[in-house]
Structure formats: structure tokens, C-alpha cells
């Protein structure tokens, strides 16, 4: 298995530009998570999808952030317009969520390093 | 904050044993995860505790005390490649992982 795939791996953009991050979860997994990681705040959950449906987007910082999951094998996180404070590493993680709540390891992608100038 | 706490940094010597502590406060609790994250890389799963006690996996062991809201990760026979950040996270009856900010471990020769 290729694991979780994210693109791009690095993104440098100017303030005000639109940024789109992409994620392909592990095949067969039914849950997908977008996280943001910074030195100050650590890993923060932005949004969670289950069976392609957004379940919890309470971590999305503001209206500039949006996420979609049009099918089981693809998700996007979009920032429009981007700001310097959005600079961080954005991770996508996938999980096979079973009825048993005790088997819920999340598998992380390699991340996208975003720098907004 | 997220009511989960771990030391920011630790330093240990190659071949030694190091214990990384994690404390948490939550009204509901399912389990406690430990992840390893090398610089510039993704977090990778190390261990999962749902019941009290010690889980051993080779050089790594993880302990949980649910009544005390306390866990630790024990690394034995430290190697240089163990230099990384170690993240603890709990789940509390939902899909959410609540992560600590991580402990950066430096292993010195």
C-alpha cells in the first residue's frame, strides 16, 4: 500500500493567493482528517470526514478555509485568500473506523509545508 | 488548552533508557496513543493503550493509568535514530485525537 498521499509537498505563495492542498487516503479507509501543525500549537484537527461526509469542521479557523471530499479516494483543503499566519505543515490522515472504537489508528500523510509570504 | 501535557524537550545518551511522561484530563476516555515524528516527516504510530498497565513492543513500552490520567513511553537501549518528537494523544469516545504538543528527544553519542 502506498500510504496516504499528499500534494504538493511544499508550497510557497504570496498573501492573498488561493492555495489548494490535496490528499489521497489509504484505499479502504472510511475516515479522513485534515490537521495543521505549528511549533506553538502542535497538531490541531481542522476537519473530519466519515464516508465522504464532513462530520466536524469546528477546527477550521475561519471562512477562508474550506474542505471537500468528492469521493472516497480524494480530498482537498483550500485556503482563499491565504495569509502569512496560515504558514504551517498541513497533514492529512486516514483511518478505518470500525464499530469497535478501540481500533482506530490514524495514518498520516507526509504533509504539505505551506509558506505564505 | 487541550488538557494534555508532556515535557517540551528531553536529552539522553545512546544506550540509555528514557521515560517520556504524558498527563491528561478528560471527562471521557477511550485510549492513549503514542506517535513518533522525525523532523520534517509525518507522525507514525508507535503504541496504543486502552487498559491500565504496560504494553511492550521491542525496545519501546507504553504505560497507562486511567485513574491518574497518566501515561509514559519508555525507550530502552537508545539509538541515535530515536532522536525525534514523541506525541501523545487521547481519544474520548469520539473520532477526535487530542494531541499534546510533543516531546523533542535528543539522543547524544
Amino acid at each position: 500500500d502506498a500510504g496516504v498521499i499528499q500534494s504538493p509537498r511544499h508550497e510557497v505563495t504570496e498573501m492573498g493567493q488561493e492555495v489548494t492542498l490535496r490528499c489521497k487516503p489509504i484505499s479502504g479507509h472510511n475516515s479522513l482528517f485534515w490537521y495543521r501543525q505549528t511549533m506553538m500549537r502542535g497538531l490541531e484537527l481542522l476537519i473530519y470526514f466519515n464516508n465522504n461526509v464532513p462530520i466536524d469542521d469546528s477546527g477550521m479557523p475561519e471562512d477562508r478555509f474550506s474542505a471537500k471530499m468528492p469521493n472516497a479516494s480524494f480530498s482537498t483543503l483550500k485556503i482563499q485568500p491565504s495569509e502569512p499566519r496560515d504558514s504551517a505543515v498541513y497533514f492529512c490522515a486516514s483511518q478505518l473506523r470500525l464499530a469497535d472504537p478501540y481500533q482506530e489508528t490514524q495514518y498520516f500523510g507526509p504533509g504539505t509545508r505551506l509558506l505564505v509570504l | 488548552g487541550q488538557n494534555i501535557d508532556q515535557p517540551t524537550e528531553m536529552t539522553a545518551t545512546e544506550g540509555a533508557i528514557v521515560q517520556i511522561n504524558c498527563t491528561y484530563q478528560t471527562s471521557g476516555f477511550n485510549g492513549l496513543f503514542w506517535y513518533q515524528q522525525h523532523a520534517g516527516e509525518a507522525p507514525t504510530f508507535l503504541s496504543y493503550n486502552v487498559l491500565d498497565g504496560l504494553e511492550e513492543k521491542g525496545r519501546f513500552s507504553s504505560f497507562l493509568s486511567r485513574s491518574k490520567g497518566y501515561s509514559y513511553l519508555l525507550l530502552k537501549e537508545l539509538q541515535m535514530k530515536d532522536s525525534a518528537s514523541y506525541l501523545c494523544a487521547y481519544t474520548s469516545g469520539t473520532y477526535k485525537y487530542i494531541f499534546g504538543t510533543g516531546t523533542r528527544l535528543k539522543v547524544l553519542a
Side-chain angles (χ1 to χ4, degrees):
Chain A
D1 197 322
V4 178
I5 299 172
Q6 290 187 246
S7 65
R9 294 292 306 275
H10 302 272
E11 178 82 22
V12 180
T13 190
E14 292 186 345
M15 183 174 63
Q17 296 298 305
E18 177 178 296
V19 174
T20 299
L21 312 181
R22 297 173 177 80
C23 175
K24 177 178 168 54
I26 293 172
S27 177
H29 281 191
N30 57 5
S31 296
L32 185 140
F33 304 78
W34 282 100
Y35 289 91
R36 178 171 65 179
Q37 187 175 39
T38 60
M39 288 290 291
M40 290 299 294
R41 300 176 66 88
L43 265 172
E44 300 175 283
L45 178 65
L46 299 177
I47 188 168
Y48 159 61
F49 291 88
N50 183 248
N51 293 322
N52 313 337
V53 176
I55 303 299
D56 182 356
D57 65 355
S58 60
M60 297 285 263
E62 47 202 89
D63 292 345
R64 297 184 298 106
F65 284 67
S66 62
K68 294 182 180 179
M69 192 164 186
N71 57 61
S73 59
F74 183 65
S75 177
T76 59
L77 178 68
K78 187 175 292 186
I79 308 173
Q80 166 63 17
S82 58
E83 297 182 3
R85 60 190 167 128
D86 301 330
S87 297
V89 182
Y90 290 81
F91 287 104
C92 174
S94 74
Q95 177 187 68
L96 176 58
R97 184 170 175 81
L98 305 173
D100 180 350
Y102 302 125
Q103 303 294 330
E104 296 185 344
T105 300
Q106 292 187 14
Y107 297 88
F108 285 78
T112 296
R113 295 185 175 279
L114 174 64
L115 177 61
V116 183
L117 302 174
Chain B
Q2 299 283 4
N3 299 323
I4 182 165
D5 193 41
Q6 51 182 130
T8 303
E9 275 192 6
M10 299 183 71
T11 301
T13 305
E14 196 174 16
I17 299 172
V18 70
Q19 178 174 312
I20 302 174
N21 296 325
C22 174
T23 57
Y24 61 89
Q25 290 181 316
T26 179
S27 55
F29 178 83
N30 268 0
L32 195 292
F33 289 81
W34 283 96
Y35 278 75
Q36 180 189 59
Q37 186 177 23
H38 285 100
E41 297 183 10
T44 56
F45 171 76
L46 282 180
S47 70
Y48 178 60
N49 293 72
V50 62
L51 301 175
D52 286 356
L54 190 67
E55 295 276 346
E56 296 189 72
K57 276 187 179 182
R59 293 190 300 113
F60 292 7
S61 303
S62 57
F63 172 83
L64 176 66
S65 168
R66 296 172 63 114
S67 61
K68 295 182 180 177
Y70 168 67
S71 173
Y72 67 73
L73 182 68
L74 192 70
L75 293 77
K76 303 176 186 176
E77 302 170 12
L78 278 174
Q79 301 175 9
M80 299 298 289
K81 67 178 182 179
D82 297 329
S83 292
S85 286
Y86 292 85
L87 310 174
C88 65
Y90 69 80
T91 57
S92 61
T94 69
Y95 48 85
K96 276 187 177 179
Y97 280 36
I98 305 300
F99 280 92
T101 52
T103 298
R104 282 193 303 279
L105 174 66
K106 296 181 186 177
V107 180
L108 305 176

